[in-house]
Amino acid sequence: VQLVESGGGSVQVGGSLRLSCVASGDTISRYCMGWFRQIPDKEREGVAGIESDGSTSYADSVKGRFTISQDIFKNTLTLQMNSLKPEDTAMYYCAADGPCGSLSADYNYWGQGTQVTVS
């Protein structure tokens, strides 16, 4: 499966962004999906995950601010990010086929990433 993210950019503190990840080559309903982020010299961090039944999981740092969702018909994964903070600044990656119910980065398919900058 191929994944392409979009929607990143620069935003002020307290603002919102909506990231999208369009999948091709297979249907996302087959996989557990996730959003991850990474800053230079740091390990990739799990942000949010979603299972095929719609169950979601979030990192404590984003609970109540970020929402992960999926549109099976559009084969698209989305991350709505509200009340953004400077510490949310990172490259954000979409991933498919990973450990369901876990924010471990042990996923098989990754997008190229989209940069989010909050200042």
Side-chain angles (χ1 to χ4, degrees), residues 13-74:
V13 173
S16 298
L17 281 175
R18 185 177 180 90
L19 305 184
S20 294
C21 171
V22 178
S24 60
D26 206 346
T27 174
I28 61 173
S29 63
R30 292 188 56 194
Y31 303 110
C32 289
M33 306 286 295
W35 285 100
F36 293 79
R37 65 187 181 188
Q38 190 171 23
I39 58 176
D41 299 325
K42 294 282 190 178
E43 289 190 1
R44 197 163 290 188
E45 173 192 23
V47 175
I50 188 166
E51 302 179 33
S52 56
D53 65 357
S55 301
T56 57
S57 54
Y58 295 94
D60 288 342
S61 58
V62 307
K63 280 180 182 176
R65 301 188 298 122
F66 290 12
T67 303
I68 187 172
S69 61
Q70 59 187 3
D71 185 329
I72 302 302
F73 297 103
K74 294 183 179 179

Side-chain angles (χ1 to χ4, degrees), residues 90-103:
M91 184 72 78
Y92 283 72
Y93 297 89
C94 167
D97 192 20
C100 298
S102 168
L103 293 177

